[in-house]
Amino acid sequence: MIKAMLARGTLSALLCLGAAAAQTPALDHFEAKIRPVLAARCYGCHSAAAAAPQGGLRLDSPAGLAAGGNSGPVLIAGNPDASLLLRALRRTDKSLQMPPGPALPKEVVADFARWIKDGAPMPGQVAKRPAAQELWSLKKPVRTPGTIDSLLSQRLAAKGLAFSPPADRRTLIRRVSLDLTGLAPTAAEIEAFAADPSPDAYPKLIDRLLASPHYGERWGRHWLDLARYADSVNDSVNAAQRYAWSYTYRDWVIASLNADLPYNQFVLYQLAADRLPAIDRKHLAALGFIRLGREFPNSIAETIDDRIDAATRALLGLTVSCARCHDHKFDPIPTKDYYSLYSIFSNLREPAQLPLLGAAAPQPVYEQRLQRIRQAQAEYRQRRHAEMVAFFRSQEADYRKAAADSQAMSNPELEELVRQRQLNLHVLRRWRQGLADPAAVPLAEFEKIYTEGDSNNTRALRVRYNTMLAQAAYDGAPPRAMAVEDLPAPEPAHVFLRGNPNNPGALTPPRTLTCLGGSDQQPFTNGAGRLEFAQSLIDPNNPLTARVLVNRVWMHHFGTGLVATPSDFGFRGDLPSHPELLDTLAVDFVASGWSLKKLHRRILLSTAYQQSAADHPAARAIDPENRLLWRANRRRLDIETLRDNMLLAAGRLDRSIGGLPVSLTAQPAATRRTVYGFVERGKVPGILNAFDFASPDQHAPLRYVTTVPQQALFFLNSPFVLEQAAATAAAVTAPAPTPQVRDLYRRILGRDPAPAESAAALAFLTANYDTKPTPDPTAWQYGVLRGGQFHPFPIYNGDRWQGGYALPAGLFSKAVLRPTGGEPGDEITVVRRWVSPVTGAVSIEGLLRHNQGAVPYGDGVRARLVSSRQGELAAWVANGFSAETRLTGLKVQAGEILDFAVDPRQDPENDNFTWAPIVKAGSQTWNAKDDFAGPAPARPSVLARLAHVLLQTNEFAFVE
């Protein structure tokens, strides 16, 4: 049976590998996450470079993967758990554990599982890597005389096609409004535009929309996809760790686009704002482009790769990270080019104090706490450094022998020796250098000698510091830039032979790509080289930067770019559908002063943009994908636009610009625009994921539009949609059904209902529909005690009650309650309140738990049980341990309140606790964990049901 399964897997693998060229995202994952590991840990034994591939298995080609080895096929494409390769990597079989040496980290094994699940695609072998002069995108763009329409018409006429008739005025104003601001026009705005016969009505509309502050919000979100923006670190160890001032980068992007900051400066500031003399400090926020990507605490090389990948794909449209372990298989990018960029990004650090973007405002409480954490960090490093140096001195004989035995060893052999003898590689290298006291490693190099436990503890201290910093930021600390700075003495990188950082090859000083600057270019000398690299990107002679940006703008207006692979202008990407038009737009874009708003105007004023989306079967038979643009493309709104326009229809949209991110899962819903939602890396809200939101884990060049059941279920059942439907209905003030129906249509669809629609709606309103009964009130309530008064939490955020859409939140501070526990706020008591529905004797049980790490901090929590009738009944303290909270025979009366209250004692740090009490009375049980719930759904009115129906229509969710 297993052999039959493996045989079928081999066939599916061959089919998948043969179709790999079409799977660009999966291939990108292979190049970024899989090939580097194969090169570093597997190719030595399982590739053409091995004298005799061990086990008869080659992993360096699609054919080798499909053939398998002596033990048979190694993978079943699409089925990781049944694949022999993954079993070996997971080491679940004692007789099959690969690769030799240390096991791969869990996150790396998870990358392999994802790759196999995606079909295990791998690029085929190429006989020769093309030269730079052969790649179309590396040739200087040349302007072709003509307009957008004339250049498009030439291609249409060659196929016997022509533009479609113009879209009607109602369609056009909705299309351009949603494109530029993400907000639909009101019914009154639509009617005014449709009734305006003047020839400049449409140009004036475009100018008004471009001048709107909401333009920057709409187009800023497009850029944030490219910049892999998120509001949390969410590395493999510390889930949901908030960045303190991530929002300052998001707000800078929005403000810069609204101000029509020239794109060359827009790029320059994001890479090197701090290297520019006398720059306005507000532009330092642009450095979030570098800082706000993924961080890999156990592998700085992965963090640097993320930054290289984001910069080169977003700005140049080249997949430079594919050259990390070998010369790029398709494009003229040698491995040395990758490590020249590595020289730039590896010589960066976070400033000791993030730069202020405005005036300073002291926060003495937080400053004292931060200083206390910094002191704990310094003391820990000093103590553990001294202990490690003493330990290395006690191993002198072992190191002397290892130094003598390893004189002729290569770097990989040296690594293996260190593993076998359980020595430290950095200390052994100091012995091999003949230093006077090799064991006396400087304190500055502590991270090169610390243990795994030290790594975890120092990371815990760093997380503690960053958590407190974020709490200060969210509690009103003046905004700062998520900046980087160059190291004082940058050091050039080396090629990592076969991807191994401990096996350096050729020296690679900082330079731009040779395909752009030539092989004889001089190394950068200004600090780490960021400023010179940025200047090379925005040089008017750079053939890529303007082309890539123009193509992205075109894509967002038409649905597909002139180059359909917007972040891959290499040989593996698509050729431009209209190369002359792309080049002409790029040349004119630079000549216009790199103005995005001028580019928008030019595109939006074209006949191509203004044409109807109506179908023409004859044209569709010739050009089914509409690559020649014989009509406008009908497009579904993205989730941000859908959500924002539901709030707009309900009259609840908060149009304020900028500020702290807010929760998008809370009830009642936050009314800020979706661009201001909190984006948690690794845990994107389901409302966003269901509608193809860009993953913040990596640069996202476009959103792949899917149609899945979760989308329909969202419209049917989402509390957010139901809430907006009810709010829209509540905003209708007309007293009679007919004007009520008209008002709903105008609010949601921007028009009056047709007679048939009005008749159907009136019939719906007058019908007798059953409604779900209102649920019984729960015995539990959730809130805080402040000044002796109970304040119920106003916000339910997915799995917790809290005081606001972002924490700390005013009088509620950082207090939260979850099903199993929570956290009190600063000088605030958090309360799980039980209102007794019975009279009689009750028993109470539960376990109060508070944890402390290896480096303890805080003084734990105090829990109390307080009766509204009898006063305090019991109290417990927990600090790094647990306490049973048990009472029996407690007599209560119906309506009596029992407060399960927890306060922070003296020190408000590290006050997360678990405590889910259970109350029993006879056969009745109230379990705090099982009974925990959000707000009870309200019974919708019939008018709210009609609003709900209209919000689900294609007319609302699509733009023609």
Side-chain angles (χ1 to χ4, degrees):
M1 181 66 177
I2 293 176
K3 289 183 178 179
M5 288 173 62
L6 289 172
R8 290 195 296 272
T10 303
L11 177 60
S12 65
L14 285 169
L15 292 173
C16 176
L17 293 167
Q23 301 179 20
T24 299
L27 286 176
D28 288 344
H29 176 74
F30 172 80
E31 294 290 359
K33 301 297 182 184
I34 305 304
R35 193 191 291 279
V37 180
L38 293 176
R41 301 293 300 274
C42 306
Y43 284 171
C45 300
H46 299 289
S47 72
Q54 292 190 17
L57 174 63
R58 281 185 54 181
L59 300 175
D60 59 341
S61 69
L65 267 179
N70 298 339
S71 300
V74 295
L75 61 82
I76 299 176
N79 192 343
D81 294 334
S83 296
L84 198 63
L85 176 63
L86 201 63
R87 282 171 46 200
L89 298 182
R90 287 173 172 168
R91 301 191 173 211
T92 54
D93 187 337
K94 291 184 178 180
S95 64
L96 184 65
Q97 298 188 359
M98 290 291 170
L104 295 177
K106 291 181 180 179
E107 56 266 29
V108 174
V109 176
D111 287 336
F112 272 86
R114 173 185 159 186
W115 173 58
I116 296 172
K117 186 176 181 180
D118 288 346
M122 174 189 286
Q125 302 301 302
V126 293
K128 171 180 173 292
R129 184 166 51 87
Q133 59 268 27
E134 299 174 17
L135 184 55
W136 69 269
S137 59
L138 295 178
K139 297 173 183 176
K140 188 174 181 178
V142 177
R143 191 184 193 287
T144 301
T147 64
I148 289 175
D149 294 328
S150 66
L151 294 174
L152 289 173
S153 294
Q154 292 172 14
R155 297 289 305 278
L156 285 168
K159 294 289 186 179
L161 302 174
F163 289 131
S164 294
D168 64 79
R169 303 281 276 185
R170 179 185 182 279
T171 297
L172 187 58
I173 184 176
R174 186 169 186 269
R175 179 191 299 170
V176 73
S177 297
L178 290 169
D179 269 5
L180 288 182
T181 68
L183 300 177
T186 65
E189 289 171 335
I190 294 172
E191 290 163 357
F193 179 69
D196 188 347
S198 61
D200 62 349
Y202 180 57
K204 284 183 176 179
L205 171 64
I206 293 173
D207 289 341
R208 175 173 65 81
L209 294 170
L210 287 173
S212 166
H214 303 306
Y215 158 77
E217 294 173 322
R218 174 63 172 160
W219 283 81
R221 182 60 255 182
H222 294 326
W223 184 262
L224 296 178
D225 285 5
L226 306 176
R228 77 268 189 257
Y229 173 82
D231 295 299
S232 74
V233 180
N234 203 67
D235 59 40
S236 58
V237 179
N238 306 300
Q241 179 189 327
R242 292 184 295 181
Y243 284 120
W245 287 284
S246 55
Y247 71 91
T248 61
Y249 173 68
R250 176 246 290 151
D251 288 353
W252 178 86
V253 169
I254 292 171
S256 297
L257 293 176
N258 277 332
D260 201 19
L261 181 71
Y263 182 68
N264 56 346
Q265 295 180 45
F266 186 73
V267 170
L268 183 67
Y269 295 160
Q270 292 183 78
L271 292 177
D274 60 314
R275 305 297 298 180
L276 296 169
I279 190 171
D280 188 328
R281 68 168 60 179
K282 70 181 181 182
H283 291 304
L284 294 176
L287 296 169
F289 178 81
I290 297 175
R291 270 294 310 280
L292 295 177
R294 290 193 68 188
E295 295 185 7
F296 298 82
N298 295 322
S299 177
I300 185 63
E302 294 295 333
T303 300
I304 296 167
D305 181 72
D306 169 78
R307 294 173 177 180
I308 293 172
D309 183 63
T312 54
R313 293 176 70 198
L315 305 174
L316 292 172
L318 292 178
T319 55
V320 174
S321 284
C322 292
R324 181 178 177 183
C325 299
H326 52 78
D327 290 348
H328 200 295
K329 286 186 172 294
F330 302 96
D331 300 336
I333 306 171
T335 303
K336 286 185 178 180
D337 276 8
Y338 175 87
Y339 287 98
S340 289
L341 299 185
Y342 194 98
S343 285
I344 298 173
F345 290 98
S346 64
N347 281 294
L348 305 181
R349 68 182 181 187
E350 178 184 343
Q353 187 81 299
L354 295 175
L356 279 164
L357 297 175
Q363 285 187 305
V365 172
Y366 286 113
E367 288 165 5
Q368 292 169 11
R369 294 175 184 173
L370 292 168
Q371 176 57 34
R372 193 163 64 241
I373 300 170
R374 285 194 293 265
Q375 183 177 346
Q377 288 174 315
E379 291 174 353
Y380 181 87
R381 291 182 87 251
Q382 291 169 354
R383 176 175 62 81
R384 285 294 298 144
H385 171 262
E387 292 172 355
M388 293 303 296
V389 168
F391 174 68
F392 294 140
R393 285 187 172 134
S394 73
Q395 291 184 302
E396 179 177 347
D398 294 333
Y399 278 101
R400 283 187 182 277
K401 186 174 188 315
D405 293 345
S406 64
Q407 288 302 315
M409 287 185 177
S410 65
N411 286 311
E413 291 171 332
L414 192 65
E415 281 190 279
E416 184 60 29
L417 175 71
V418 165
R419 281 194 292 268
Q420 290 176 352
R421 301 191 185 184
Q422 297 185 331
L423 302 176
N424 180 273
L425 180 61
H426 183 62
V427 175
L428 178 56
R429 283 180 169 155
R430 288 174 58 86
W431 273 95
R432 282 159 53 99
Q433 293 168 9
L435 299 178
D437 188 359
V441 178
L443 178 61
E445 298 176 2
F446 173 61
E447 283 73 19
K448 296 182 179 180
I449 62 171
Y450 65 9
T451 65
E452 183 177 354
D454 291 328
S455 174
N456 293 335
N457 291 337
T458 54
R459 187 183 305 120
L461 284 165
R462 187 167 61 250
V463 169
R464 177 183 166 194
Y465 182 85
N466 290 336
T467 299
M468 187 58 64
L469 198 65
Q471 190 174 326
Y474 279 64
D475 201 21
R480 294 177 180 268
M482 298 295 292
V484 294
E485 65 182 12
D486 291 354
L487 293 176
E491 296 182 358
H494 294 76
V495 170
F496 294 167
L497 296 179
R498 292 163 67 183
N500 185 346
N502 292 316
N503 191 18
L507 194 69
T508 55
R511 294 187 179 96
T512 192
L513 302 178
T514 53
C515 63
L516 296 176
S519 58
D520 59 347
Q521 59 177 314
Q522 294 300 308
F524 299 148
T525 58
N526 185 324
R530 279 183 294 130
L531 178 58
E532 292 153 294
F533 176 55
Q535 289 168 334
S536 76
L537 299 184
I538 60 176
D539 187 318
N541 291 318
N542 185 314
L544 286 167
T545 307
R547 271 193 181 119
V548 169
L549 189 280
V550 163
N551 186 65
R552 295 194 194 283
V553 174
W554 186 275
M555 176 185 71
H556 289 300
H557 282 310
F558 286 92
T560 304
L562 296 168
V563 177
T565 51
S567 287
D568 190 353
F569 276 41
F571 281 101
R572 201 155 58 97
D574 284 2
L575 292 173
S577 60
H578 299 77
E580 297 84 4
L581 175 57
L582 178 63
D583 279 11
T584 298
L585 290 173
V587 171
D588 290 350
F589 176 58
V590 175
S592 75
W594 302 80
S595 169
L596 274 170
K597 290 191 176 182
K598 289 180 181 177
L599 177 62
H600 285 301
R601 287 188 187 93
R602 183 173 181 183
I603 293 173
L604 298 176
L605 288 171
S606 68
T607 299
Y609 180 82
Q610 298 178 60
Q611 62 185 323
S612 165
D615 187 30
H616 301 286
R620 178 161 35 87
I622 297 171
D623 180 22
E625 294 182 351
N626 193 30
R627 293 292 284 146
L628 299 178
L629 293 176
W630 47 269
R631 64 177 175 88
N633 288 310
R634 186 170 188 258
R635 291 175 284 155
R636 191 187 69 203
L637 303 182
D638 57 32
I639 183 56
E640 294 96 326
T641 312
L642 281 170
R643 182 182 178 277
D644 292 350
N645 282 281
M646 288 184 188
L647 289 168
L648 184 65
R652 303 180 66 225
L653 183 67
D654 179 351
R655 293 175 179 259
S656 57
I657 307 296
L660 290 168
V662 299
S663 169
L664 294 178
T665 59
Q667 300 177 55
T671 57
R672 300 294 311 278
R673 290 200 68 174
T674 312
V675 71
Y676 300 117
F678 185 86
V679 178
E680 183 178 338
R681 182 167 279 124
K683 191 180 177 183
V684 175
I687 183 178
L688 300 183
N689 266 339
F691 287 88
D692 314 307
F693 185 76
S695 169
D697 279 345
Q698 60 187 351
H699 163 89
L702 49 78
R703 298 193 183 179
Y704 296 94
V705 179
T706 63
T707 301
V708 294
Q710 290 88 336
Q711 294 162 359
L713 293 173
F714 165 78
F715 279 106
L716 284 168
N717 303 317
S718 165
F720 172 82
V721 178
L722 296 173
E723 181 184 317
Q724 304 326 306
T728 306
V732 173
T733 58
T738 298
Q740 286 176 347
V741 169
R742 180 175 181 270
D743 195 355
L744 273 188
Y745 265 81
R746 291 175 67 83
R747 286 175 176 274
I748 296 173
L749 301 181
R751 63 175 177 84
D752 290 342
E757 291 172 325
S758 182
L762 290 172
F764 182 88
L765 291 180
T766 55
N768 182 21
Y769 288 97
D770 292 331
T771 58
K772 294 181 180 179
T774 302
D776 294 332
T778 176
W780 297 100
Q781 299 174 24
Y782 313 93
V784 299
L785 281 177
R786 195 155 192 176
Q789 186 175 357
F790 178 74
H791 301 272
F793 282 126
I795 301 297
Y796 182 69
N797 188 16
D799 64 347
R800 69 198 68 182
W801 282 95
Q802 59 191 48
Y805 295 110
L807 299 181
L811 100 92
F812 296 91
S813 184
K814 62 179 180 179
V816 297
L817 273 174
R818 307 180 186 89
T820 58
E823 180 177 5
D826 291 359
E827 302 178 0
I828 293 176
T829 300
V830 66
V831 174
R832 196 184 303 260
R833 170 168 284 188
W834 182 74
V835 181
S836 177
V838 298
T839 296
V842 301
S843 63
I844 295 170
E845 60 185 60
L847 183 68
L848 172 69
R849 178 182 291 117
H850 174 273
N851 295 323
Q852 283 282 13
V855 182
Y857 61 99
D859 59 357
V861 296
R862 178 181 65 152
R864 296 180 300 135
L865 179 59
V866 182
S867 164
S868 60
R869 185 174 62 88
Q870 305 171 66
E872 183 174 305
L873 302 174
W876 306 269
V877 170
N879 183 15
F881 51 82
S882 303
E884 288 284 352
T885 60
R886 186 185 301 273
L887 279 81
T888 57
L890 176 63
K891 293 182 179 180
V892 298
Q893 296 179 358
E896 183 174 344
I897 295 171
L898 294 183
D899 281 344
F900 297 86
V902 180
D903 66 57
R905 304 186 74 195
Q906 298 299 314
D907 189 337
E909 287 189 65
N910 190 28
D911 285 338
N912 272 294
F913 67 89
T914 58
W915 190 27
I918 298 173
V919 182
K920 294 181 179 179
S923 61
Q924 294 181 279
T925 299
W926 295 267
N927 185 309
K929 176 184 175 182
D930 295 343
D931 297 346
F932 191 84
R939 179 185 296 176
S941 68
V942 178
L943 195 62
R945 289 172 176 265
L946 177 58
H948 189 196
V949 170
L950 295 180
L951 289 173
Q952 297 178 68
T953 59
N954 283 346
E955 184 176 347
F956 179 81
F958 283 79
V959 59
E960 293 285 346

